[in-house]
């Protein structure tokens, strides 16, 4: 018996259901329920919230979320082998756990959730960044979620919270910090997972801001930032040539020297440039 509920320990769950980890699905499981409960607590009080969990696997974090009082959890898992183990958790918490089998990239989870929504997940590494970018770049803001509490490779977590001038600064930092407040709240060594991955991990907590920090059209900002960091070593006047022949004038109008490189430009600078570009 584990400390947080009366369901079987995760090692027995994995053995009973034959859940040998599949690398292709990014399966590195958390088996310590005190640790999963601690990760769940990083999302704050969930008693009045629906929680979206991507990749519940054998259900360690799911159990943490439910034991910590989440009103309801919607868990999206691609691996059908995990469903019987998740059904056992659903039976232990009647009406509070809905399981959807499928690819998180294809499922419209927002349509199945009631506000307020928090997202908490130990993300599969192969789709983690893609999901984060989607959650950060809807056309309309505020988004369907009020916070994201997500496990990433530490290197990705550092890219999300990076400041201008650092090597990690780029597209992820700008997209995350434009419309959300992001910070790293936990660091986890490889040994916290079964099997242990080769890299360190970290949990990032992002809170959606009511309005973006600076005005900009999301599509234009994304395009400008992607182009600027695609050739991050180049001066912006050449990296952004594709935006038009008058790019030097536009950079100057945005308060950016055409000889600067992408990693030196602040979020405010990129938003000003996106507004200049959107002027047409
Ligand atoms: N939450 C569990 C834990 O903390 O022990 C498992 C985390 S494991 C890093 C990632 C999980 O995501 C696996 O269960 C894997 O099967 C699932 N997964 C991988 N790709 C997925 C996808 N595209 N959509 C939904 N789930 C996916």
């Amino acid at each position: 018996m584990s400390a947080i509920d009366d369901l079987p320990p995760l090692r027995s769950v994995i053995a009973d259901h034959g859940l040998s980890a599949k690398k292709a699905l990014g399966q590195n499981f958390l088996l310590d329920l005190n640790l999963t409960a601690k990760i769940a607590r990083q999302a704050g009080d969930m008693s009045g919230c629906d929680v979206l969990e991507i990749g519940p696997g054998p259900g360690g974090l799911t159990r943490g979320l439910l034991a910590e009082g989440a009103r309801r959890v919607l868990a999206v898992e691609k691996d059908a082998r995990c469903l019987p183990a998740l059904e056992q958790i659903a039976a232990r918490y009647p009406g509070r756990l809905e399981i959807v089998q499928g690819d998180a990239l294809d499922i419209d989870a927002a349509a199945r959730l009631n506000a307020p929504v928090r997202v908490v997940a130990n993300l599969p590494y192969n789709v983690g960044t893609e999901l984060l970018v989607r959650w950060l770049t809807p056309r309309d803001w505020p988004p369907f979620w009020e916070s994201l509490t997500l496990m990433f490779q530490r290197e990705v977590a550092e890219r999300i919270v990076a400041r201008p001038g650092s090597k990690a600064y780029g597209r992820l930092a700008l997209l995350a910090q434009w419309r959300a407040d992001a910070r790293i709240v936990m660091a986890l060594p490889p040994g916290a997972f079964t099997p242990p991955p080769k890299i360190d991990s970290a949990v990032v907590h992002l809170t959606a801001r009511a309005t973006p920090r600076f005005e900009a059209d999301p599509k234009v900002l994304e395009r400008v930032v992607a182009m600027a960091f695609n050739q991050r070593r180049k001066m912006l006047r050449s990296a952004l040539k594709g935006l038009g022949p008058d790019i030097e004038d536009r950079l100057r109008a945005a308060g950016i020297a055409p000889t600067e490189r992408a990693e030196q430009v602040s979020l405010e600078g990129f938003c000003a440039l996106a507004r200049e570009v959107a002027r047409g």
Side-chain angles (χ1 to χ4, degrees):
M1 287 231 283
S2 66
I4 68 163
D5 59 32
D6 50 12
L7 287 159
L10 284 157
R11 278 194 197 285
S12 332
V13 172
I14 284 176
D16 293 350
H17 298 281
L19 300 180
S20 52
K22 285 190 183 169
K23 212 173 171 183
L25 286 171
Q27 292 183 336
N28 301 100
F29 300 132
L30 290 166
L31 303 188
D32 177 349
L33 288 159
N34 291 308
L35 182 58
T36 61
K38 187 174 170 192
I39 294 168
R41 284 198 293 278
Q42 306 304 317
D45 179 5
M46 296 169 288
S47 57
C49 299
D50 275 13
V51 176
L52 170 62
E53 185 192 0
I54 304 298
L61 182 55
T62 320
R63 286 163 66 173
L65 292 165
L66 291 162
E68 289 297 321
R71 175 176 73 191
R72 180 172 158 262
V73 176
L74 175 70
V76 180
E77 174 57 60
K78 190 171 178 182
D79 186 353
R81 297 179 309 157
C82 299
L83 299 191
L86 296 169
E87 293 297 351
Q88 276 185 352
I89 305 171
R92 163 68 179 76
Y93 292 96
R96 289 176 59 201
L97 173 60
E98 185 186 341
I99 304 147
V100 176
Q101 198 232 320
D103 189 327
L105 294 172
D106 299 334
I107 286 164
D108 181 8
R112 298 166 177 259
L113 293 158
N114 296 312
V117 172
R118 300 196 184 171
V119 181
V120 185
N122 174 12
L123 289 173
Y125 291 139
N126 42 356
V127 292
T129 311
E130 166 75 27
L131 284 170
L132 174 66
V133 169
R134 286 191 192 187
W135 290 327
L136 289 170
T137 55
R139 176 87 232 161
D140 299 319
W141 201 263
F144 75 92
W145 51 271
E146 58 177 37
S147 68
L148 308 172
T149 306
L150 306 172
M151 177 94 67
F152 287 102
Q153 294 153 261
R154 197 180 69 188
E155 179 230 313
V156 175
E158 283 169 357
R159 278 162 48 203
I160 296 167
V161 302
R163 314 302 301 174
S166 69
K167 253 194 180 161
Y169 183 63
R171 176 173 170 253
L172 269 190
L174 287 155
L175 293 183
Q177 297 169 35
W178 179 44
R179 301 206 273 195
D181 296 314
R183 64 202 163 90
I184 293 179
V185 290
M186 272 175 83
L188 286 93
F193 302 86
T194 304
K198 289 201 175 67
I199 34 86
D200 285 336
S201 301
V203 177
V204 184
H205 183 71
L206 299 104
T207 316
R209 297 172 64 87
T211 51
R213 273 203 171 77
F214 308 101
E215 205 191 310
D217 177 280
K219 288 286 161 252
V220 179
L221 181 64
E222 270 183 75
R223 189 159 155 249
V224 168
V225 166
M227 212 183 254
F229 283 95
N230 215 5
Q231 299 180 297
R232 61 188 296 146
R233 304 249 156 267
K234 284 204 175 163
M235 291 179 193
L236 287 169
R237 67 177 174 212
S238 31
L240 297 178
K241 240 184 340 212
L243 291 176
D246 55 353
I247 187 60
E248 291 209 20
D249 294 340
R250 288 178 191 261
L251 281 162
R252 278 193 211 94
I256 302 169
T259 50
E260 280 190 76
R261 290 172 174 77
E263 66 184 35
Q264 299 164 295
V265 177
S266 66
L267 171 62
E268 186 173 11
F270 274 112
C271 290
L273 181 58
R275 291 197 300 274
E276 282 301 321
V277 171
R279 256 192 256 282

